[in-house]
Amino acid sequence: MPIEGIIALTNPSRRLGDRVAGTKLIVFDPTLEQPKVNIGKVLIPVAIAYGLMFLFMLPFKGLMSAMEGQKINYVETSFNQQSSKELEQLLTDSLGQYLTPSVKIYDKIQNEDLKYISTILQLKENYLEDESNYEQLNSLTTTLIYSKCPKETFTGQVKYIFQTSGQMQSRAIHLGTDIKPKREE
């Protein structure tokens, strides 16, 4: 760094970092008694650092818990292949020039009177980049899904996926009815 070099030329015993920290370079003399490490002075900054890391991670832990709380326990044996293929065909017929759909409909969710619909849409172009294109495509997609499955009869998600230069981009939205966590009594 040029600034570091200029400061070293003006005072070779103190670099820029030494000036900021209030320290200076001294010659090591092995004959002098070395100070003992004060374990308390070492442990306190380590404890503070861990505490700050913990506080920094709390919001992310809450986010992960919220995402886990949204996990839907659909009944695997209630997979409805015919309805899945029908909705998939409707999306292909209407939006096939933009995407390739993959739909799974489960007729039963544990402890709920709702279906579960998972829709994955492999986009042929990156419609996620331009917000107006994405909104238009999303509006068409949700309208088609709701025409086949009324909102109050299911819960689920639509996930848009696009690959660009080796990276996958995705965007997911919730559809249908929200499931409220049940209280245990």
Side-chain angles (χ1 to χ4, degrees):
M1 258 170 87
I3 296 172
E4 187 78 35
I6 293 169
I7 291 174
L9 289 174
T10 62
N11 186 354
S13 66
R14 294 185 80 188
R15 8 172 247 111
L16 178 61
D18 291 327
R19 289 182 185 272
V20 171
T23 61
K24 71 177 185 174
L25 180 64
I26 60 169
V27 178
F28 176 71
D29 185 0
T31 61
L32 295 176
E33 182 180 338
Q34 299 299 313
K36 302 287 182 202
V37 175
N38 183 341
I39 196 75
K41 286 186 177 181
V42 172
L43 288 180
I44 289 173
V46 169
I48 290 171
Y50 276 110
L52 289 174
M53 282 180 18
F54 176 75
L55 289 174
F56 178 72
M57 295 304 291
L58 277 177
F60 296 107
K61 185 176 181 181
L63 179 63
M64 293 302 291
S65 296
M67 289 172 65
E68 288 172 5
Q70 293 176 354
K71 184 176 180 192
I72 306 295
N73 291 322
Y74 55 84
V75 177
E76 190 79 35
T77 57
S78 71
F79 175 67
N80 187 329
Q81 186 172 6
Q82 181 179 349
S83 293
S84 299
K85 291 297 176 194
E86 287 173 6
L87 182 54
E88 204 170 276
Q89 190 62 51
L90 176 64
L91 291 169
T92 300
D93 292 344
S94 302
L95 301 172
Q97 68 269 26
Y98 305 110
L99 53 85
T100 303
S102 174
V103 178
K104 292 192 177 195
I105 298 177
Y106 296 89
D107 289 333
K108 190 163 178 56
I109 296 175
Q110 290 178 349
N111 303 322
E112 297 290 337
D113 291 326
L114 296 171
K115 295 180 180 186
Y116 177 72
I117 301 177
S118 170
T119 309
I120 299 174
L121 305 174
Q122 179 72 41
L123 302 179
K124 295 182 178 180
E125 291 183 32
N126 187 357
Y127 301 108
L128 303 179
E129 204 169 57
D130 181 4
E131 192 65 28
S132 65
N133 285 343
Y134 164 74
E135 290 295 332
Q136 187 177 11
L137 181 62
N138 185 51
S139 176
L140 290 169
T141 304
T142 54
T143 300
L144 288 168
I145 292 171
Y146 287 144
S147 74
K148 188 76 173 157
C149 305
K151 181 177 183 171
E152 59 278 351
T153 64
F154 77 96
T155 189
Q157 73 168 354
V158 174
K159 188 170 191 176
Y160 298 92
I161 299 174
F162 177 74
Q163 185 168 355
T164 175
S165 64
Q167 292 183 341
M168 295 298 286
Q169 295 182 21
S170 69
R171 193 169 192 178
I173 62 160
H174 173 78
L175 287 181
T177 302
D178 288 329
I179 295 180
K180 307 278 190 266
K182 295 188 187 253
R183 287 198 214 174
E184 294 183 27
E185 297 178 23

